[in-house]
Amino acid sequence: MAELEIITMGRVSVDLYPEQIGIPLAEVKTFAKSLGGSATNIVVAAARLGHGSAVITRVGDDGFGQYIRSALEEFGVDPRFVSIDPELRTPLAFCEISPPDNFPLLFYRGPKAPDINIRTEDLDLEEISAAPLFWMTGTGLSDEPSRSATLAALKQRSGGSTVFDLDYRPMLWKSRSETERWYREALRHATVAVGNQEEVAVAVGPGDPFEASAALLDLGLELALQTISEPLWSGIILGAPRKKRCRCPSERTSKSRFPLSGALPTSRGRSSNRSSKSTIRPRAPVARA
């Protein structure tokens, strides 16, 4: 079995995207099936870059769960930590596609998704501790027992890069204040945070995006990566490293920002997360990123 360089943990789904663009879901006739979920998106990107990769998640004992395990293996992801829930159904996610910037998501994760049933006793804490890069997602903090399992995994980390993908989905939380509480707790154990403007605001409060990135660093992070999508500018704001407070200028400005071109598939910044995976590599120093 190959050495694991990257382990991700969290949300998984089967994504069903319309094959007819620019019309409401009620009028869509056919959908294309694909592997989805923030933790799986990242681990697939890592595997495609040639890194030994595995994801900690949970699927239902159904055809969609079988599809997820098979798709992960086809992409080169180690499926050993993908457990099967005997009662809950594998989640589905639908997306209405109305370019250029309207991509509402509809989640089917009730009454509870299998990945929220990940337990601490299911974890291989030795492998989690040894991995150069551990990437966890915020949805796993939304309920028990995965909240305790996610925090246990974070507390096990003593080296390497520990990335908190904020992955805020308000419909999966009881309240915004509860989200902030558990985000703050998880950030205490992370070295890197990744999120869009809304997700960062949940963690540190609303305000100027550059000040928000600085607030993340003040919590003890080494690197804060925030995606921005505004009428006048879209890109990434980078705050790093915490100890040096250096800025990485773009376009000869004093701001740590990096313009992006191309489409973000669900307007949530996941494609930029996948591209950031090529920068936050195992064993690479944060300053180099």
Side-chain angles (χ1 to χ4, degrees):
M1 206 169 283
E3 177 187 0
L4 293 179
E5 298 177 89
I6 299 167
I7 298 176
T8 68
M9 179 176 181
R11 182 168 58 86
V12 67
S13 66
V14 173
D15 288 355
L16 296 171
Y17 278 31
E19 295 186 311
Q20 293 79 47
I21 307 301
I23 61 175
L25 282 178
E27 299 177 18
V28 173
K29 297 185 182 302
T30 56
F31 295 84
K33 179 179 66 176
S34 61
L35 185 63
S38 49
T40 40
N41 288 341
I42 296 300
V43 80
V44 166
R48 293 180 67 179
L49 288 168
H51 299 296
S53 308
V55 58
I56 302 169
T57 192
R58 194 171 175 88
V59 299
D61 188 12
D62 51 45
F64 285 124
Q66 294 171 17
Y67 164 73
I68 286 174
R69 291 179 62 90
S70 297
L72 286 169
E73 289 191 78
E74 288 176 8
F75 282 117
V77 177
D78 189 329
R80 73 178 100 161
F81 303 136
V82 182
S83 57
I84 297 175
D85 193 294
E87 298 179 0
L88 299 175
R89 299 293 190 184
T90 301
L92 304 177
F94 291 82
C95 180
E96 187 174 299
I97 303 178
S98 299
D101 59 1
N102 185 29
F103 305 95
L105 292 169
L106 181 61
F107 290 98
Y108 284 81
R109 291 174 59 89
K112 189 178 189 179
D115 52 64
I116 299 298
N117 260 2
I118 299 172
R119 303 167 301 176
T120 302
E121 53 265 36
D122 297 331
L123 303 179
D124 188 330
L125 295 176
E126 186 175 330
E127 286 280 13
I128 291 171
S129 177
L133 175 56
F134 178 66
W135 185 300
M136 48 74 62
T137 61
T139 303
L141 298 169
S142 64
D143 205 350
E144 295 289 358
S146 67
R147 178 186 297 148
S148 293
T150 301
L151 292 173
L154 286 171
K155 292 173 183 177
Q156 189 70 18
R157 300 282 295 166
S158 59
S161 295
T162 302
V163 182
F164 182 3
D165 179 354
L166 299 176
D167 186 39
Y168 178 55
R169 298 291 187 267
M171 69 288 292
L172 305 180
W173 286 85
K174 295 177 182 177
S175 68
R176 190 176 175 113
S177 60
E178 183 184 51
T179 311
E180 180 181 0
R181 173 191 174 187
W182 294 111
Y183 272 24
R184 289 294 188 107
E185 175 63 23
L187 284 166
R188 292 177 52 233
H189 306 284
T191 60
V192 179
V194 177
N196 61 30
Q197 268 182 288
E198 179 188 9
E199 291 167 336
V200 171
V202 171
V204 297
D208 176 83
F210 290 96
E211 293 178 357
S213 292
L216 283 173
L217 297 177
D218 288 338
L219 294 175
L221 296 168
E222 297 179 6
L223 180 69
L225 195 157
Q226 181 183 181
T227 58
I228 306 295
S229 181
E230 297 180 343
L232 297 179
W233 186 80
S234 294
I236 296 176
I237 292 176
L238 178 67
R242 181 173 60 89
K243 293 181 180 178
K244 295 183 180 179
R245 296 283 182 171
C246 74
R247 292 186 177 273
C248 306
S250 176
E251 298 183 337
R252 303 297 181 183
T253 73
S254 61
K255 301 294 187 181
S256 310
R257 64 184 192 177
F258 300 84
L260 295 175
S261 60
L264 300 182
T266 59
S267 191
R268 302 292 300 185
R270 294 304 144 213
S271 65
S272 61
N273 278 358
R274 292 193 286 272
S275 64
S276 73
K277 179 71 229 40
S278 65
T279 299
I280 307 174
R281 290 179 179 273
R283 301 185 179 88
V286 169
R288 182 184 172 206

